[in-house]
Amino acid sequence: MSIVCSPNSSPKESVELKQQEIEIGPESAGQKRKTDEESADQPDQKQRRVKKQRQKDFRDTNDLDSVEYVIEDGLRKVKPYFFEYRAYAKGRWMKREILNVFKEEFQDRDETYYRHAIETGLITINGERVPLDYVIMNNDILGHKIHRHEPIVTAEPIEIVHRDDDLIVINKPGGIPVHPAGRYRHNTVIHVLRKELNVPRLYPANRLDRPTSGLMLIGLNSERARQFESQMVQGKIQKEYVCRVVGEFPEGEITCDAPIKTISYKLSLNYVHQDGKECKTVFERLSYNGKTSVVRCRPKTGRTHQIRVHLRYLGYPIANDPTYSDDQPWSPLMGYGQTLNDEQANKVVQKVLEASKFPEGMWNDTEDDDNTKTDASKVAKPRCEECGLVLSEDPKYRELKIWLHAWRYAGDGWAYETKIPDWAQESFVE
């Protein structure tokens, strides 16, 4: 039996370009275009000019030698360290006030914190303190100085499935992000591998969500990674995943081609939307234990959270998915078989934001007339001696991952696969 699941609205035709890890040239970095006279430099002069410029480029910072990892109770921690985020102003930030940019674009902290950081000079423009209403201009470099507390990740080893002169194939553990982004830098697959293998650069050809485990293709040079990326874009690589979902998934082949849209980039939140991008996933049940089902998933496109969103849309979300399961405050707003419009999507985003916990620290401490803390519970919370950040409890190991695993990738004349996780075995008991 073959069932095709589609929403009433037809998806718009679109092409998704996958971002590659490339070095940003001077123009794209917001620097001025060279004059004709400068362009007339001899080749060796150009090389010296570029080399000198790259030596001064803040994006080339390599601090892996100084990172200190701590492994405890199955968790990998990074010893907190001082760090300054620096970035060239993006086009969409231009002509916007600095406070507005930070509170809208970086939603892992609240407005109170960003006011504090701008007023105290932790957030700067071109290395200088600016007022809250400073308007961001072209060529501006935004800086954010922090005592960095990276989130805790799994300490499960990264298994090497295959290695040759220009390729590493790994079995990524669930509970660790692939590459540096947001609050993660050293607690990432790329930095852990670079440090363990003593290699200067790694080029992932595919990505997996932080809680997802499974197979990854990582080039030791950019050319090998581009080869795999090109094959993926052309649909020449067959991908197979396994997952464990709520309930008794139907027998037979189930195809879902509901269009998916990213409804919040900063929250990495996606769902079926009337303006979504075309995508397709084929599912097949492998087993059922009376409570949950193990399902094989074959994504034919590569949208963010595609498998997780399609399973929720079908009514069988991944059983321990912290975003798309049924036990979140926003779950009722993402109904089974429901195609969202912009108004409905905004309600989901707002609900997720309301449920988010912002970091606590000296920037949101309040005092009463007697100069004492109004919330006595804050006094008892452990704090970082360096920055005053209220320290949170360690997560449970099982909370870091979900039951979704990239099992097998195959192309023309090659195939790699990992072992099946314990949770995907028929004998597994929740």
Side-chain angles (χ1 to χ4, degrees), residues 24-33 53 59 88-91 94 137-141:
I24 303 175
E27 283 188 56
S28 60
Q31 298 178 14
K32 295 181 179 179
R33 182 185 298 273
Q53 178 185 3
R59 293 165 296 182
Y88 289 103
K90 299 181 184 294
M94 304 297 180
M137 306 296 290
N138 189 25
N139 297 328
D140 278 348
I141 298 176

Side-chain angles (χ1 to χ4, degrees), residues 408-424:
R408 188 175 192 271
Y409 277 31
D412 185 14
W414 61 269
Y416 301 106
E417 66 179 60
T418 72
K419 62 183 180 181
I420 297 293
D422 292 341
W423 54 257

Side-chain angles (χ1 to χ4, degrees), residues 246-288:
V246 172
E248 184 176 2
F249 197 84
E251 293 184 329
E253 191 175 272
I254 308 296
T255 299
C256 184
D257 59 4
I260 294 175
K261 180 180 180 180
T262 299
I263 60 178
S264 173
Y265 285 99
K266 295 308 167 185
L267 297 174
S268 191
L269 192 62
N270 308 267
Y271 204 59
V272 175
H273 192 283
Q274 61 186 19
D275 296 327
K277 294 181 178 180
E278 180 180 357
C279 52
K280 179 180 179 181
T281 317
V282 180
F283 301 100
E284 182 182 2
R285 192 180 87 190
L286 300 179
S287 65
Y288 175 58

Side-chain angles (χ1 to χ4, degrees), residues 30 42 54 68 94 120 140 150 169 180 325 344 387-388 395 406 409:
Q42 296 299 317
R54 296 296 298 165
E68 295 184 45
M94 304 297 180
T120 58
D140 278 348
E150 291 198 29
V169 181
S325 61
Q344 293 167 326
C387 65
Y409 277 31

Side-chain angles (χ1 to χ4, degrees), residues 117-302:
I118 295 169
E119 291 173 341
T120 58
L122 295 176
I123 289 177
T124 60
I125 295 291
N126 304 320
E128 298 181 357
R129 186 182 302 188
V130 295
L132 293 170
D133 59 356
Y134 175 86
V135 176
I136 294 175
M137 306 296 290
N138 189 25
N139 297 328
D140 278 348
I141 298 176
L142 282 70
H144 185 190
K145 301 173 184 177
I146 62 169
H147 189 237
R148 193 164 186 171
H149 292 251
E150 291 198 29
I152 295 171
V153 301
T154 178
E156 186 178 341
I158 301 172
E159 176 190 357
I160 305 295
V161 176
H162 166 84
R163 181 173 183 178
D164 57 38
D165 291 341
D166 55 5
L167 176 69
I168 298 175
V169 181
I170 68 166
N171 184 5
K172 170 193 172 299
I176 181 171
V178 172
H179 53 78
R183 297 171 62 202
Y184 297 88
R185 178 171 172 79
H186 297 308
N187 254 351
T188 58
V189 169
I190 295 303
H191 276 216
V192 171
L193 277 180
R194 282 178 56 198
K195 193 171 180 68
E196 289 182 350
L197 303 179
N198 193 28
V199 293
R201 293 289 296 272
L202 290 172
Y203 304 83
N206 69 307
R207 276 124 170 116
L208 297 176
D209 297 336
R210 183 175 72 248
T212 303
S213 60
L215 195 141
M216 284 193 61
L217 309 171
I218 302 177
L220 289 170
N221 56 68
S222 59
E223 178 59 30
R224 188 63 183 274
R226 280 196 292 267
Q227 291 173 0
F228 280 118
E229 289 173 345
S230 176
Q231 292 177 46
M232 289 184 187
V233 171
Q234 298 175 50
K236 294 181 178 180
I237 295 181
Q238 293 76 51
K239 299 175 284 186
E240 294 186 53
Y241 290 66
V242 291
C243 64
R244 183 172 288 276
V245 305
V246 172
E248 184 176 2
F249 197 84
E251 293 184 329
E253 191 175 272
I254 308 296
T255 299
C256 184
D257 59 4
I260 294 175
K261 180 180 180 180
T262 299
I263 60 178
S264 173
Y265 285 99
K266 295 308 167 185
L267 297 174
S268 191
L269 192 62
N270 308 267
Y271 204 59
V272 175
H273 192 283
Q274 61 186 19
D275 296 327
K277 294 181 178 180
E278 180 180 357
C279 52
K280 179 180 179 181
T281 317
V282 180
F283 301 100
E284 182 182 2
R285 192 180 87 190
L286 300 179
S287 65
Y288 175 58
N289 65 4
K291 183 178 180 181
T292 56
S293 303
V294 175
V295 177
R296 180 172 65 177
C297 319
R298 288 176 290 157
K300 302 301 182 181
T301 50

Side-chain angles (χ1 to χ4, degrees), residues 18-34:
K18 187 175 183 180
Q19 291 186 339
Q20 301 179 9
E21 289 195 17
I22 59 175
E23 293 181 350
I24 303 175
E27 283 188 56
S28 60
Q31 298 178 14
K32 295 181 179 179
R33 182 185 298 273
K34 293 187 186 329

